[in-house]
Coordinates of all heavy atoms in Angstrom, one line a residue:
M1 N 3.5 -5.0 -11.8 CA 4.4 -5.6 -10.9 C 4.0 -5.6 -9.5 O 3.4 -4.7 -9.0 CB 5.8 -4.9 -10.9 CG 6.9 -5.6 -10.2 SD 8.5 -4.7 -10.3 CE 8.2 -3.3 -9.3
L2 N 4.1 -6.7 -8.8 CA 3.7 -6.8 -7.4 C 4.4 -5.8 -6.5 O 5.6 -5.6 -6.6 CB 3.9 -8.2 -6.8 CG 3.0 -9.3 -7.2 CD1 3.5 -10.6 -6.6 CD2 1.6 -9.0 -6.7
A3 N 3.6 -5.1 -5.6 CA 4.2 -4.2 -4.7 C 5.0 -4.8 -3.6 O 5.9 -4.1 -3.1 CB 3.1 -3.3 -4.2
L4 N 4.7 -6.0 -3.3 CA 5.4 -6.7 -2.2 C 5.3 -5.8 -0.9 O 6.3 -5.3 -0.4 CB 6.8 -7.0 -2.5 CG 7.1 -8.0 -3.7 CD1 8.5 -8.1 -4.0 CD2 6.5 -9.3 -3.4
R5 N 4.1 -5.6 -0.4 CA 3.9 -4.8 0.8 C 4.5 -5.4 2.0 O 4.6 -6.6 2.1 CB 2.3 -4.5 1.0 CG 1.7 -3.7 -0.1 CD 0.3 -3.5 0.1 NE -0.4 -2.9 -1.1 CZ -1.6 -2.9 -1.4 NH1 -2.5 -3.5 -0.6 NH2 -2.1 -2.3 -2.4
P6 N 4.9 -4.6 2.9 CA 5.8 -5.0 4.0 C 5.1 -5.6 5.2 O 5.8 -6.0 6.1 CB 6.6 -3.7 4.4 CG 5.6 -2.7 4.1 CD 4.8 -3.1 2.8
N7 N 3.8 -5.6 5.2 CA 3.2 -6.0 6.5 C 1.8 -6.5 6.2 O 1.2 -6.3 5.2 CB 3.1 -4.8 7.5 CG 2.2 -3.8 6.9 OD1 2.2 -3.4 5.8 ND2 1.2 -3.2 7.8
C8 N 1.2 -7.2 7.2 CA -0.2 -7.7 7.2 C -1.1 -6.5 7.5 O -0.9 -5.8 8.5 CB -0.3 -8.8 8.3 SG -2.0 -9.4 8.6
E9 N -2.2 -6.5 6.7 CA -3.2 -5.3 7.0 C -4.0 -5.6 8.2 O -4.6 -4.6 8.6 CB -4.1 -5.3 5.7 CG -3.6 -4.5 4.6 CD -4.7 -4.2 3.6 OE1 -5.8 -3.9 3.9 OE2 -4.4 -4.2 2.3
C10 N -4.0 -6.8 8.7 CA -4.8 -7.0 9.9 C -4.0 -6.8 11.2 O -4.4 -6.1 12.0 CB -5.4 -8.4 9.8 SG -6.8 -8.6 8.7
C11 N -2.9 -7.5 11.3 CA -2.2 -7.6 12.6 C -0.9 -6.8 12.5 O -0.2 -6.7 13.5 CB -2.0 -9.0 13.0 SG -0.8 -9.9 12.0
D12 N -0.6 -6.2 11.3 CA 0.7 -5.5 11.1 C 2.0 -6.3 11.3 O 3.0 -5.7 11.6 CB 0.7 -4.2 12.1 CG 1.6 -3.1 11.6 OD1 1.9 -3.0 10.4 OD2 2.2 -2.4 12.5
A13 N 1.8 -7.6 11.2 CA 3.0 -8.4 11.2 C 4.0 -8.1 10.1 O 3.5 -7.8 9.0 CB 2.7 -9.9 11.2
D14 N 5.3 -8.1 10.3 CA 6.2 -7.9 9.2 C 6.2 -9.0 8.2 O 6.2 -10.2 8.6 CB 7.6 -7.8 9.7 CG 7.8 -6.4 10.5 OD1 7.2 -5.5 10.1 OD2 8.6 -6.4 11.4
L15 N 6.1 -8.7 6.9 CA 6.1 -9.7 5.9 C 7.2 -9.3 4.8 O 6.9 -8.7 3.8 CB 4.7 -9.8 5.2 CG 3.6 -10.3 6.1 CD1 2.2 -10.1 5.4 CD2 3.8 -11.8 6.4
P16 N 8.4 -9.6 5.2 CA 9.5 -9.2 4.2 C 9.4 -9.9 2.9 O 8.6 -10.9 2.8 CB 10.8 -9.7 5.0 CG 10.3 -10.7 6.0 CD 8.9 -10.3 6.4
P17 N 10.0 -9.4 1.9 CA 9.8 -10.0 0.5 C 10.1 -11.4 0.4 O 9.5 -12.1 -0.5 CB 10.6 -9.1 -0.4 CG 11.5 -8.3 0.5 CD 10.8 -8.2 1.8
E18 N 11.0 -11.9 1.2 CA 11.4 -13.4 1.2 C 10.4 -14.2 2.0 O 10.6 -15.5 2.1 CB 12.8 -13.6 1.6 CG 13.1 -13.3 3.1 CD 13.3 -11.9 3.5 OE1 13.0 -11.0 2.7 OE2 13.8 -11.6 4.6
S19 N 9.4 -13.6 2.7 CA 8.6 -14.4 3.5 C 7.7 -15.4 2.8 O 7.1 -15.0 1.7 CB 7.6 -13.4 4.3 OG 6.8 -14.3 5.1
A20 N 7.6 -16.6 3.3 CA 6.7 -17.6 2.7 C 5.3 -17.5 3.4 O 4.4 -18.3 3.0 CB 7.2 -19.0 2.8
E21 N 5.2 -16.6 4.3 CA 3.9 -16.5 5.1 C 3.0 -15.4 4.5 O 1.9 -15.1 5.1 CB 4.3 -16.1 6.5 CG 5.1 -17.2 7.2 CD 4.4 -18.5 7.3 OE1 3.3 -18.5 8.0 OE2 4.9 -19.5 6.9
A22 N 3.4 -14.7 3.5 CA 2.6 -13.6 3.0 C 1.5 -14.1 2.0 O 1.8 -14.9 1.1 CB 3.5 -12.6 2.2
M23 N 0.3 -13.6 2.2 CA -0.8 -14.0 1.4 C -1.4 -12.8 0.8 O -1.6 -11.7 1.5 CB -1.9 -14.7 2.2 CG -1.4 -15.9 3.1 SD -1.0 -17.4 2.1 CE -2.6 -18.0 1.7
I24 N -1.8 -12.8 -0.5 CA -2.3 -11.7 -1.2 C -3.6 -12.0 -2.0 O -3.8 -13.1 -2.4 CB -1.3 -11.0 -2.2 CG1 -0.9 -12.0 -3.3 CG2 -0.1 -10.5 -1.4 CD1 0.0 -11.4 -4.4
C25 N -4.4 -11.0 -2.2 CA -5.5 -11.1 -3.1 C -5.1 -10.5 -4.5 O -4.0 -10.0 -4.7 CB -6.8 -10.4 -2.6 SG -6.8 -8.6 -2.8
S26 N -6.0 -10.5 -5.4 CA -5.7 -10.0 -6.8 C -5.4 -8.5 -6.8 O -4.8 -8.0 -7.7 CB -6.8 -10.3 -7.7 OG -7.9 -9.5 -7.5
F27 N -5.9 -7.8 -5.7 CA -5.6 -6.3 -5.6 C -4.3 -6.1 -4.8 O -4.0 -5.0 -4.4 CB -6.7 -5.6 -5.0 CG -7.9 -5.7 -5.9 CD1 -9.0 -6.6 -5.6 CD2 -8.1 -4.8 -7.0 CE1 -10.2 -6.6 -6.4 CE2 -9.2 -4.9 -7.8 CZ -10.3 -5.7 -7.6
E28 N -3.6 -7.2 -4.4 CA -2.4 -7.1 -3.6 C -2.7 -6.6 -2.1 O -1.8 -6.2 -1.5 CB -1.4 -6.1 -4.2 CG -0.9 -6.6 -5.5 CD 0.2 -5.7 -6.1 OE1 1.1 -5.4 -5.3 OE2 0.1 -5.3 -7.3
C29 N -3.9 -6.8 -1.7 CA -4.2 -6.7 -0.2 C -3.3 -7.8 0.4 O -3.3 -8.9 -0.1 CB -5.6 -6.9 0.1 SG -6.8 -5.8 -0.8
T30 N -2.6 -7.5 1.5 CA -1.6 -8.4 1.9 C -1.8 -8.7 3.4 O -2.1 -7.9 4.2 CB -0.2 -7.7 1.8 OG1 0.0 -7.3 0.4 CG2 0.9 -8.6 2.2
F31 N -1.7 -10.0 3.7 CA -2.0 -10.6 5.0 C -1.0 -11.6 5.3 O -0.4 -12.3 4.4 CB -3.4 -11.1 5.1 CG -4.5 -10.1 4.7 CD1 -5.0 -10.1 3.4 CD2 -4.9 -9.2 5.6 CE1 -5.9 -9.1 3.0 CE2 -5.9 -8.2 5.2 CZ -6.3 -8.1 3.9
C32 N -0.8 -11.8 6.7 CA 0.1 -12.9 7.1 C -0.8 -14.3 7.0 O -2.0 -14.2 6.9 CB 0.6 -12.7 8.5 SG -0.7 -12.9 9.8
R33 N -0.1 -15.3 7.0 CA -0.8 -16.6 6.8 C -1.8 -16.9 8.0 O -2.9 -17.4 7.7 CB 0.2 -17.7 6.7 CG -0.4 -19.1 6.4 CD 0.6 -20.2 6.5 NE 1.7 -20.1 5.5 CZ 1.5 -20.7 4.3 NH1 0.4 -21.3 3.9 NH2 2.5 -20.5 3.4
S34 N -1.4 -16.6 9.2 CA -2.3 -16.9 10.3 C -3.6 -16.1 10.2 O -4.7 -16.6 10.5 CB -1.6 -16.7 11.6 OG -1.2 -15.4 11.8
C35 N -3.6 -14.8 9.8 CA -4.8 -14.0 9.6 C -5.5 -14.6 8.4 O -6.8 -14.8 8.4 CB -4.5 -12.6 9.4 SG -3.9 -11.7 10.9
A36 N -4.8 -14.8 7.3 CA -5.5 -15.2 6.1 C -6.2 -16.6 6.3 O -7.4 -16.7 5.8 CB -4.4 -15.4 4.9
E37 N -5.6 -17.5 6.9 CA -6.2 -18.9 7.0 C -7.1 -18.9 8.3 O -7.9 -19.8 8.4 CB -5.1 -19.9 7.1 CG -4.4 -20.0 5.8 CD -3.3 -21.1 5.7 OE1 -3.0 -21.6 6.8 OE2 -2.8 -21.3 4.6
G38 N -6.8 -18.0 9.2 CA -7.6 -18.1 10.5 C -8.8 -17.1 10.4 O -9.9 -17.5 9.8
A39 N -8.7 -15.9 10.8 CA -9.8 -15.0 11.0 C -10.4 -14.7 9.6 O -11.6 -14.5 9.5 CB -9.3 -13.7 11.6
L40 N -9.7 -14.7 8.5 CA -10.2 -14.3 7.2 C -10.8 -15.5 6.4 O -11.4 -15.2 5.4 CB -9.1 -13.6 6.4 CG -8.5 -12.4 7.1 CD1 -7.4 -11.7 6.2 CD2 -9.6 -11.3 7.5
G41 N -10.5 -16.7 6.9 CA -11.1 -17.8 6.2 C -10.7 -17.9 4.7 O -11.4 -18.5 3.9
G42 N -9.5 -17.5 4.4 CA -9.0 -17.6 3.0 C -9.4 -16.6 2.0 O -9.1 -16.7 0.9
H43 N -10.2 -15.6 2.5 CA -10.7 -14.5 1.6 C -10.4 -13.1 2.1 O -10.4 -12.9 3.3 CB -12.3 -14.7 1.4 CG -12.6 -15.8 0.6 ND1 -12.8 -17.1 1.1 CD2 -12.7 -16.0 -0.8 CE1 -13.1 -17.9 0.1 NE2 -13.1 -17.3 -1.0
C44 N -10.1 -12.3 1.1 CA -9.8 -10.9 1.4 C -11.0 -10.2 2.1 O -12.0 -10.2 1.5 CB -9.3 -10.2 0.2 SG -8.9 -8.5 0.5
P45 N -10.7 -9.5 3.2 CA -11.9 -8.8 3.8 C -12.2 -7.5 3.0 O -13.3 -6.9 3.3 CB -11.3 -8.4 5.2 CG -9.9 -8.4 5.1 CD -9.5 -9.4 4.0
N46 N -11.3 -7.0 2.2 CA -11.6 -5.8 1.4 C -12.4 -6.1 0.2 O -13.4 -5.3 -0.2 CB -10.3 -5.1 1.0 CG -9.4 -4.8 2.3 OD1 -9.9 -4.4 3.3 ND2 -8.1 -5.0 2.1
C47 N -12.1 -7.1 -0.5 CA -12.7 -7.3 -1.9 C -13.3 -8.7 -2.0 O -14.0 -9.0 -3.0 CB -11.6 -7.2 -3.0 SG -10.4 -8.6 -3.0
A48 N -13.3 -9.5 -0.9 CA -13.9 -10.8 -0.9 C -13.2 -11.9 -1.8 O -13.7 -13.0 -2.0 CB -15.4 -10.8 -1.1
G49 N -12.1 -11.4 -2.5 CA -11.4 -12.4 -3.4 C -10.6 -13.4 -2.6 O -10.4 -13.3 -1.4
E50 N -10.1 -14.4 -3.3 CA -9.3 -15.4 -2.7 C -7.9 -14.9 -2.4 O -7.3 -14.1 -3.1 CB -9.3 -16.7 -3.5 CG -8.6 -16.6 -4.9 CD -8.6 -17.9 -5.7 OE1 -8.5 -18.9 -5.0 OE2 -8.8 -17.8 -6.9
L51 N -7.4 -15.4 -1.3 CA -6.0 -15.1 -0.9 C -5.1 -16.3 -1.2 O -5.4 -17.4 -0.9 CB -6.0 -14.8 0.6 CG -6.7 -13.6 1.1 CD1 -6.8 -13.5 2.6 CD2 -6.0 -12.3 0.6
V52 N -4.0 -16.0 -1.9 CA -3.1 -17.0 -2.3 C -1.7 -16.5 -1.8 O -1.4 -15.4 -1.5 CB -3.1 -17.2 -3.8 CG1 -4.4 -17.8 -4.2 CG2 -2.6 -16.0 -4.5
R53 N -0.8 -17.5 -1.7 CA 0.5 -17.2 -1.2 C 1.3 -16.3 -2.2 O 1.2 -16.5 -3.4 CB 1.4 -18.5 -1.0 CG 2.7 -18.3 -0.2 CD 3.5 -19.5 -0.1 NE 4.2 -19.9 -1.3 CZ 5.4 -19.3 -1.7 NH1 6.0 -18.5 -0.9 NH2 6.0 -19.6 -2.8
R54 N 1.9 -15.3 -1.7 CA 2.6 -14.3 -2.5 C 3.9 -15.0 -2.9 O 4.7 -15.4 -2.1 CB 2.9 -13.1 -1.7 CG 3.6 -12.0 -2.5 CD 3.8 -10.7 -1.7 NE 4.8 -11.0 -0.6 CZ 5.1 -10.0 0.3 NH1 4.4 -8.9 0.4 NH2 6.0 -10.3 1.2
P55 N 4.2 -15.0 -4.2 CA 5.4 -15.5 -4.7 C 6.6 -14.7 -4.2 O 6.5 -13.5 -4.0 CB 5.3 -15.5 -6.2 CG 4.3 -14.5 -6.5 CD 3.3 -14.4 -5.3
V56 N 7.7 -15.4 -4.0 CA 8.9 -14.7 -3.5 C 9.7 -14.2 -4.7 O 10.0 -15.0 -5.6 CB 9.8 -15.7 -2.6 CG1 11.1 -15.1 -2.3 CG2 9.0 -16.0 -1.4
R57 N 10.0 -12.9 -4.7 CA 10.8 -12.4 -5.7 C 12.3 -12.7 -5.5 O 12.8 -12.5 -4.4 CB 10.7 -10.9 -5.8 CG 11.4 -10.2 -7.0 CD 11.0 -8.7 -7.1 NE 9.5 -8.6 -7.3 CZ 8.8 -7.5 -7.2 NH1 9.4 -6.4 -6.8 NH2 7.6 -7.5 -7.4
P58 N 13.0 -13.2 -6.5 CA 14.4 -13.6 -6.3 C 15.3 -12.4 -5.8 O 15.0 -11.3 -6.3 CB 14.8 -14.1 -7.7 CG 13.6 -14.4 -8.4 CD 12.5 -13.5 -7.9
A59 N 16.2 -12.7 -4.9 CA 16.9 -11.7 -4.3 C 17.6 -10.7 -5.3 O 17.7 -9.6 -5.1 CB 17.9 -12.3 -3.3
E60 N 18.2 -11.3 -6.4 CA 18.9 -10.5 -7.3 C 17.9 -9.5 -8.1 O 18.4 -8.5 -8.6 CB 19.7 -11.3 -8.3 CG 19.0 -12.1 -9.3 CD 18.5 -13.5 -8.9 OE1 18.5 -13.7 -7.6 OE2 18.2 -14.3 -9.7
K61 N 16.7 -9.9 -8.2 CA 15.7 -9.0 -8.8 C 15.3 -7.9 -7.8 O 14.9 -6.8 -8.2 CB 14.4 -9.8 -9.2 CG 14.7 -10.9 -10.2 CD 15.2 -10.3 -11.5 CE 15.3 -11.5 -12.5 NZ 16.4 -11.3 -13.5
L62 N 15.3 -8.2 -6.5 CA 14.9 -7.2 -5.5 C 15.8 -6.0 -5.5 O 15.3 -4.9 -5.2 CB 14.9 -7.9 -4.1 CG 13.6 -8.6 -3.7 CD1 13.9 -9.2 -2.3 CD2 12.4 -7.6 -3.5
A63 N 17.0 -6.2 -5.9 CA 17.9 -5.0 -5.9 C 17.4 -4.0 -7.0 O 17.4 -2.8 -6.7 CB 19.3 -5.5 -6.2
K64 N 16.9 -4.5 -8.1 CA 16.5 -3.6 -9.1 C 15.0 -3.3 -9.0 O 14.6 -2.1 -9.3 CB 16.7 -4.3 -10.5 CG 16.5 -3.4 -11.7 CD 16.9 -4.1 -13.0 CE 16.7 -3.2 -14.1 NZ 16.9 -3.8 -15.4
Y65 N 14.2 -4.2 -8.4 CA 12.8 -4.0 -8.3 C 12.4 -4.1 -6.8 O 11.9 -5.2 -6.4 CB 12.0 -5.0 -9.1 CG 12.3 -4.9 -10.6 CD1 13.1 -5.9 -11.1 CD2 11.8 -3.9 -11.4 CE1 13.5 -5.9 -12.5 CE2 12.2 -3.9 -12.7 CZ 13.0 -4.9 -13.3 OH 13.4 -4.9 -14.6
P66 N 12.7 -3.2 -6.0 CA 12.6 -3.3 -4.5 C 11.1 -3.4 -4.1 O 10.2 -3.0 -4.8 CB 13.3 -2.1 -4.0 CG 13.3 -1.1 -5.0 CD 13.3 -1.9 -6.3
A67 N 11.0 -4.0 -2.9 CA 9.6 -4.2 -2.3 C 9.2 -2.8 -1.8 O 9.9 -1.9 -1.5 CB 9.7 -5.2 -1.2
S68 N 7.8 -2.7 -1.8 CA 7.2 -1.6 -1.2 C 7.6 -1.3 0.3 O 7.7 -2.3 1.0 CB 5.6 -1.6 -1.4 OG 5.0 -0.7 -0.6
R69 N 7.7 -0.1 0.7 CA 7.8 0.2 2.1 C 6.6 0.8 2.7 O 6.7 1.3 3.9 CB 9.1 1.0 2.3 CG 10.4 0.3 2.2 CD 11.6 1.0 2.7 NE 11.9 2.1 1.9 CZ 12.8 2.2 1.0 NH1 13.7 1.2 0.9 NH2 13.0 3.2 0.2
E70 N 5.6 0.9 1.9 CA 4.4 1.6 2.4 C 3.5 0.6 3.2 O 2.9 -0.3 2.7 CB 3.6 2.1 1.2 CG 2.4 2.9 1.6 CD 1.4 3.1 0.4 OE1 1.9 3.0 -0.7 OE2 0.2 3.4 0.6
R71 N 3.5 0.9 4.6 CA 2.7 0.0 5.4 C 1.3 0.3 5.4 O 0.9 1.5 5.5 CB 3.2 0.0 6.9 CG 4.6 -0.4 7.0 CD 5.1 -0.4 8.4 NE 4.6 -1.5 9.2 CZ 5.4 -2.7 9.3 NH1 6.5 -2.8 8.6 NH2 4.8 -3.7 10.0
K72 N 0.4 -0.7 5.2 CA -1.1 -0.5 5.1 C -1.7 -1.3 6.2 O -1.4 -2.5 6.3 CB -1.6 -0.9 3.8 CG -1.8 0.2 2.8 CD -2.6 -0.3 1.5 CE -4.1 -0.3 1.8 NZ -4.9 -0.2 0.6
V73 N -2.5 -0.7 7.1 CA -3.2 -1.4 8.1 C -4.6 -1.0 8.1 O -4.9 0.2 8.0 CB -2.5 -1.2 9.5 CG1 -3.3 -2.0 10.5 CG2 -1.1 -1.6 9.6
K74 N -5.6 -2.0 8.2 CA -7.0 -1.6 8.1 C -7.3 -0.9 9.4 O -7.1 -1.4 10.5 CB -7.8 -2.9 8.1 CG -7.8 -3.5 6.7 CD -8.5 -4.8 6.7 CE -10.0 -4.7 6.8 NZ -10.6 -3.9 5.7
A75 N -7.8 0.4 9.3 CA -8.1 1.2 10.5 C -9.1 0.5 11.4 O -9.0 0.6 12.6 CB -8.6 2.6 10.0
E76 N -10.0 -0.1 10.8 CA -11.1 -0.7 11.7 C -10.8 -2.1 12.1 O -11.6 -2.9 12.7 CB -12.5 -0.7 10.9 CG -12.6 -1.7 9.7 CD -12.0 -1.1 8.4 OE1 -11.1 -0.2 8.5 OE2 -12.3 -1.6 7.4
G77 N -9.6 -2.6 11.7 CA -9.1 -3.9 12.1 C -9.9 -5.0 11.3 O -10.6 -4.7 10.3
C78 N -9.6 -6.2 11.6 CA -10.2 -7.3 10.9 C -11.1 -8.2 11.8 O -11.0 -8.0 13.0 CB -9.1 -8.2 10.3 SG -8.2 -7.5 8.9
P79 N -12.0 -8.9 11.3 CA -12.8 -9.8 12.1 C -12.0 -10.7 13.0 O -11.0 -11.2 12.5 CB -13.7 -10.6 11.0 CG -13.0 -10.4 9.7 CD -12.2 -9.1 9.8
A80 N -12.5 -10.9 14.2 CA -11.7 -11.8 15.1 C -11.9 -13.3 14.6 O -12.8 -13.6 13.9 CB -12.4 -11.7 16.4
A81 N -10.9 -14.0 14.9 CA -10.9 -15.5 14.5 C -12.2 -16.1 15.1 O -12.6 -15.9 16.3 CB -9.7 -16.2 15.0
A82 N -12.8 -16.9 14.3 CA -14.0 -17.6 14.7 C -13.7 -18.7 15.7 O -12.6 -19.3 15.6 CB -14.8 -18.2 13.4
Ligands
ZN101 ZN1 -1.8 -10.9 10.2
ZN102 ZN1 -8.6 -7.7 -1.7

């Protein structure tokens, strides 16, 4: 099951589970759309995999399967936008 992480690993922007701006890789590294499509060029900086839009979990399922609250931010930051 997707963890639905609460923030962008690069800029720490909030990405609530209903956000259409959340982008993830196959390992669930999570980024906001502006980082994913800008600085990251559509690829995860951790695993080099592709970043795709994170599906939104229906609200009634969130009650039973809540989103992760564990914030992850890359300590060394992300590459600056080209
Ligand atoms: Zn970001
Ligand atoms: Zn990744």
Side-chain angles (χ1 to χ4, degrees):
M1 186 174 76
L2 281 175
L4 299 175
R5 292 178 188 163
N7 67 314
C8 172
E9 274 192 41
C10 282
C11 69
D12 200 27
D14 286 331
L15 295 169
E18 70 276 14
S19 174
E21 301 293 305
M23 307 286 285
I24 59 171
C25 78
S26 70
F27 296 100
E28 298 184 47
C29 307
T30 303
F31 303 95
C32 70
R33 185 187 296 271
S34 63
C35 288
E37 293 179 351
L40 302 179
H43 288 89
C44 175
N46 301 324
C47 70
E50 61 181 322
L51 292 169
V52 299
R53 194 181 76 84
R54 184 177 70 188
V56 172
R57 184 169 300 165
E60 72 271 17
K61 302 291 188 215
L62 271 175
K64 189 170 179 189
Y65 304 102
S68 168
R69 282 193 292 257
E70 184 193 340
R71 297 183 81 88
K72 264 189 78 154
V73 180
K74 285 173 71 62
E76 71 278 24
C78 284

